[in-house]
Amino acid sequence: MILEVKNIEKAFGRKPVLKDINFLLEPGSITGIVGENGSGKTVLMEIIVGVKKAQKGKVHINGKLGYCPQKAMLFSHLTVKEHFDYFSIAYELDKTQSKLRTEELLDHFNFGKYKQERIINLSGGTQQKLNLSLALLHQPNLLILDEPYNGFDWETYERFWNYTTTLKNQGCAILIVTHLLSEKVRLDRIYKLENGILV
Amino acid sequence: MSVKKITTGVSMILRMLVRQKIVILLILVIPAFFLTIVELTSSDRILPFQLASVGEDIFVNISENGISFIFFSVASSGFLVSFLALNLIQKNNLVNRRLIICGYHPVELLLSILTVLVLVITFIAVYVGLLTNAFYSIEHLEKFILGLVLIGFVYGSYGLAVGSLIKGELEGILMIVLLVNIDVGWLQNPLFYAEAQNQIIIKFLPAYFPSQTCIITAVTDFSSSSSTMYSLAYGSIFLFFSMLTFFYKMRTK
């Protein structure tokens, strides 16, 4: 077991958003979470990664976490390369590992030509490629992806799924928030978040 | 605690700061603009005013433009540092939080921000000090620059406190402009407080001691050690509060 979510409850004021959420993620699996806008999917992701605190319950992570937030969280005045350098230091990767992984991800998602560009000058799709790549940089064994392909073109979308499938085959557990019904075939398990309950 | 993480943080934050043209423009233009306005508008007439922090009966005579140069250099330093401190702590709040999820400790990130703030305060104090000295001959330039560092410390810490407490950029700027305007921009003007009905309130405002340090060192030979100590104490309270808030907000749950 890589992730255990146990009895999670969260309310904003008097409005309950998550009610007694429980699930496990096993190595080598892709799990999808679907639900309407405002159903609490992002809140659940933020509780799992530790950005938000649940009123009740526990999250147990067994391994290296990679998190791709819904909106690209990047420094607008740093370049793509500087982001890889900054996050490599955060993940405590050595220089060789950092260089290798940076080149690999730039190459895989086909945005190497923007390496020296500042974020402020990039399109939304390229920013999202970087947003995702930063979550993958340290080769995590648990990936939390909150609608990671916003703004991707079809080719990048396919590349994303190829990469994700490879990670799954290497034993990574992936939790992905999605809206697309067409993705059902790629997922091992789907949960629906409805009225705060996971079904 | 990793030194490498802190030095990388400092290097990245500095790059972000110098790449914002408006920041460089503000630092260079605002003090020069303020002092030029003083040069163009104030007269040479001699005014006596009370040096409140030295003693109730201590009065000094100084020209109107002399005291205005000192006063406006303090005001511009306080405003600039406070605004930049707010920018440093508030602007990249969400990405900083992401860095913490990825392995940075909130203290490492905070130390990176504080190091950059110290560099910014020093740069602004030296630049404004030398610029003021070009307009008006300062009695003890090094000590005057130290006074500007103190106003930077107090108002920089205030900017950090506002930035770590308030989410909205506009609300943060408003909080800074309000206090800077009332405190440094009005009540600490020695020509005002010497005649003020209630000096106690003015003495409790953040800019009082750093302003006094600057005035004492710029035009007299009196010791400024007491106002320096109080300035450090005042700034430390803001700093402690901002560090606590930052740490509380940024920690992973």
Side-chain angles (χ1 to χ4, degrees), chain A residues 50-51 77 82 90 92 131, chain B residues 5 15 19 98 101-102 253:
Chain A
V51 172
H77 291 281
E82 285 164 346
E92 296 178 357
N131 195 35
Chain B
K5 281 183 182 170
R15 283 179 218 197
R19 284 174 188 169
R98 187 176 183 185
I101 293 169
C102 295
K253 275 82 179 177

Side-chain angles (χ1 to χ4, degrees), chain B residues 92-103:
Chain B
N92 294 310
N93 199 17
L94 291 174
V95 207
N96 282 338
R97 182 171 271 192
R98 187 176 183 185
L99 276 174
I100 288 165
I101 293 169
C102 295

Side-chain angles (χ1 to χ4, degrees), chain B residues 15-205:
Chain B
R15 283 179 218 197
M16 287 185 252
L17 204 63
V18 296
R19 284 174 188 169
Q20 296 176 65
K21 285 177 190 153
I22 187 75
V23 169
I24 304 302
L25 207 69
L26 277 176
I27 292 176
L28 297 178
V29 170
I30 284 187
F33 179 74
F34 274 28
L35 297 179
T36 308
I37 293 289
V38 172
E39 173 71 20
L40 295 173
T41 57
S42 59
S43 73
D44 289 336
R45 73 190 164 116
I46 301 295
L47 298 167
F49 71 89
Q50 185 191 16
L51 256 183
S53 65
V54 179
E56 292 297 313
D57 51 348
I58 305 289
F59 282 80
V60 291
N61 291 320
I62 181 172
S63 65
E64 184 188 325
N65 64 5
I67 196 66
S68 301
F69 280 127
I70 296 158
F71 173 65
F72 273 95
S73 64
V74 174
S76 56
S77 301
F79 172 72
L80 279 175
V81 174
S82 191
F83 173 72
L84 290 173
L86 175 83
N87 186 280
L88 278 175
I89 208 153
Q90 195 186 49
K91 199 171 183 186
N92 294 310
N93 199 17
L94 291 174
V95 207
N96 282 338
R97 182 171 271 192
R98 187 176 183 185
L99 276 174
I100 288 165
I101 293 169
C102 295
Y104 258 86
H105 193 279
V107 174
E108 289 166 338
L109 218 49
L110 190 62
L111 284 175
S112 308
I113 292 171
L114 290 179
T115 309
V116 172
L117 189 64
V118 167
L119 294 174
V120 166
I121 289 171
T122 311
F123 177 79
I124 289 176
V126 171
Y127 169 66
V128 175
L130 294 175
L131 197 67
T132 311
N133 196 47
F135 282 94
Y136 177 81
S137 181
I138 301 288
E139 202 76 32
H140 304 282
L141 184 59
E142 300 85 359
K143 288 181 181 173
F144 178 70
I145 289 174
L146 174 73
L148 295 177
V149 167
L150 291 174
I151 187 80
F153 174 58
V154 172
Y155 262 91
S157 302
Y158 172 69
L160 288 180
V162 170
S164 45
L165 200 65
I166 292 173
K167 251 186 182 176
E169 203 173 338
L170 203 63
E171 292 89 329
I173 292 173
L174 187 72
M175 291 279 287
I176 282 172
V177 171
L178 265 179
L179 188 65
V180 172
N181 221 358
I182 292 172
D183 184 18
V184 200
W186 176 35
L187 295 176
Q188 301 307 335
N189 186 336
L191 300 178
F192 175 84
Y193 77 65
E195 301 298 327
Q197 264 188 359
N198 189 343
Q199 290 186 349
I200 298 291
I201 293 174
I202 300 174
K203 284 179 183 176
F204 277 102
L205 288 172

Side-chain angles (χ1 to χ4, degrees), chain A residues 57-70:
Chain A
K58 272 187 180 174
V59 174
H60 182 71
I61 294 171
N62 188 17
K64 283 192 286 184
L65 167 73
Y67 171 53
C68 175
Q70 190 179 26

